Amino acid sequence: MGQQPSEDTTHSSVPVKEPTGDGIGPRPYLLVISGPSFGEMYRVREERTVLGRGERSDVRLMDDGISRAHSAIERDGGKLVLVDLGSMNGTYCNGQRIERRELTDGDKISIGATTILKFTFQDKASERYQKQLFESALRDGLTGTFNRRYFTDRLHTEMRFAVRHGKTVGLLFVDIDHFKKINDSHGHQAGDFVLGAVARELTATVRAEDVIARYGGEEFAVICRETERAGITMVIPVTVSIGAAVDPRISDPLALVAAADAAMYQAKRAGRNRVEVHGGPG
């Protein structure tokens, strides 16, 4: 589509169609079917829905070429209309660049470098099915955290975005201490319980914008957006061996993974139950 990186733009009002009948009929949704937020499902809000990368956006999408307020869905009489908010790279519907266009069920909305959203109406049963379908593709079945494939794709996206916008990305590698001993002494069911408990603790402790994934075995990885070196060790409590890496000189995702992994093994060599930061104090 020939899109180029965009700058910030302005907001527009975006009221949305009311739910039908008794409130349990089909409602409008946006499904992310391509891009960094693949698998996410957003209900179109009653009063206003703005798509963009800004903190005030109702549907926040972190992709190259997306403005802070990029496009919106608004009501025009009884119709739902997609409106471009003056973005430099434009808003596309079914492959055509638009300024304003009525939406119909199944339309594909493209913004940014890779993000495609499907506009659709879903009832409660369809909504649950759709969420379960995407969750099964993105989540680890035991812990409910993201799987390694999603982590890898997301880390590449976050690092490209950070390099382009002069931001930082922190990465934690979390390894459960003496996990083999737990399995050997108490059985794999006990090990599974511990994995689930650690996952829940991580989820409850990190920020909403951080991404937790099961990297493999007893290892978890946490992507921390816009985290400075001084604050990386404060993201979660020190109850496991954690390797942390925040280095603006590293622009390659595999290099950041290697740095966090090396720091995690240093934490184990130093006695476990601690955090080690790549490069030492600084």
Side-chain angles (χ1 to χ4, degrees):
M1 293 182 293
Q3 301 170 358
Q4 300 297 324
S6 65
E7 301 298 329
D8 299 345
T9 185
T10 56
H11 285 271
S12 174
S13 61
V14 281
V16 173
K17 181 188 289 184
E18 298 293 337
T20 59
D22 58 3
I24 59 174
R27 300 167 185 255
Y29 285 87
L30 292 170
L31 308 178
V32 183
I33 60 175
S34 177
S37 298
F38 172 78
E40 295 291 341
M41 183 174 184
Y42 302 93
R43 182 180 167 190
V44 176
R45 297 180 54 161
E46 302 294 337
E47 298 300 326
R48 152 171 293 203
T49 302
V50 173
L51 288 64
R53 64 178 176 83
E55 293 184 358
R56 295 184 179 181
S57 296
D58 302 305
V59 178
R60 195 177 186 197
L61 302 163
M62 307 303 287
D63 193 3
D64 286 342
I66 294 181
S67 301
R68 288 186 181 276
H70 193 101
S71 55
I73 298 175
E74 64 180 20
R75 181 194 301 162
D76 184 359
K79 304 174 182 178
L80 287 168
V81 179
L82 175 66
V83 180
D84 182 72
L85 300 181
S87 63
M88 183 179 299
N89 294 323
T91 299
Y92 293 76
C93 185
N94 299 331
Q96 299 294 319
R97 185 165 182 166
I98 62 97
E99 297 297 328
R100 186 178 184 88
R101 173 167 172 164
E102 179 184 352
L103 288 170
T104 59
D105 197 359
D107 280 346
K108 307 295 194 307
I109 301 169
S110 302
I111 60 176
T114 61
T115 296
I116 302 175
L117 306 98
K118 180 180 179 181
F119 175 78
T120 184
F121 287 89
Q122 304 274 350
D123 58 21
K124 284 293 184 181
S126 297
E127 176 190 353
R128 286 193 296 269
Y129 171 77
Q130 195 71 51
K131 287 182 176 179
Q132 290 171 358
L133 184 66
F134 279 116
E135 288 289 304
S136 65
L138 301 175
R139 300 279 183 177
D140 172 63
L142 176 62
T143 64
T145 60
F146 287 109
N147 57 34
R148 183 166 177 170
R149 178 180 176 182
Y150 178 88
F151 162 80
T152 300
D153 291 343
R154 183 64 177 265
L155 182 60
H156 278 77
T157 299
E158 292 286 347
M159 292 198 70
R160 285 197 304 268
F161 186 88
V163 169
R164 179 176 295 278
H165 296 280
K167 305 293 185 179
T168 57
V169 176
L171 180 61
L172 301 179
F173 261 32
V174 181
D175 188 276
I176 301 173
D177 294 331
H178 304 296
F179 187 73
K180 185 177 183 301
K181 184 182 294 185
I182 295 172
N183 278 333
D184 291 344
S185 301
H186 304 286
H188 288 282
Q189 285 187 330
D192 290 349
F193 177 83
V194 171
L195 284 168
V198 170
R200 288 190 296 273
E201 184 67 22
L202 286 171
T203 302
T205 306
V206 302
R207 304 167 305 173
E209 63 267 31
D210 296 331
V211 177
I212 307 169
R214 186 180 179 191
Y215 192 76
E218 66 272 27
E219 291 183 0
F220 294 87
V222 185
I223 302 172
C224 304
R225 180 185 296 163
E226 298 184 27
T227 299
E228 300 300 331
R229 183 183 177 91
I232 190 68
T233 60
M234 301 301 294
V235 176
I236 62 175
V238 181
T239 56
V240 290
S241 296
I242 302 171
V246 180
D247 190 339
R249 297 169 298 180
I250 299 177
S251 59
D252 177 51
L254 293 180
L256 190 66
V257 168
D261 191 45
M264 184 268 290
Y265 279 104
Q266 177 60 31
K268 285 188 170 296
R269 288 192 295 268
R272 294 183 168 86
N273 193 30
R274 61 191 294 125
V275 178
E276 290 288 340
V277 180
H278 168 67

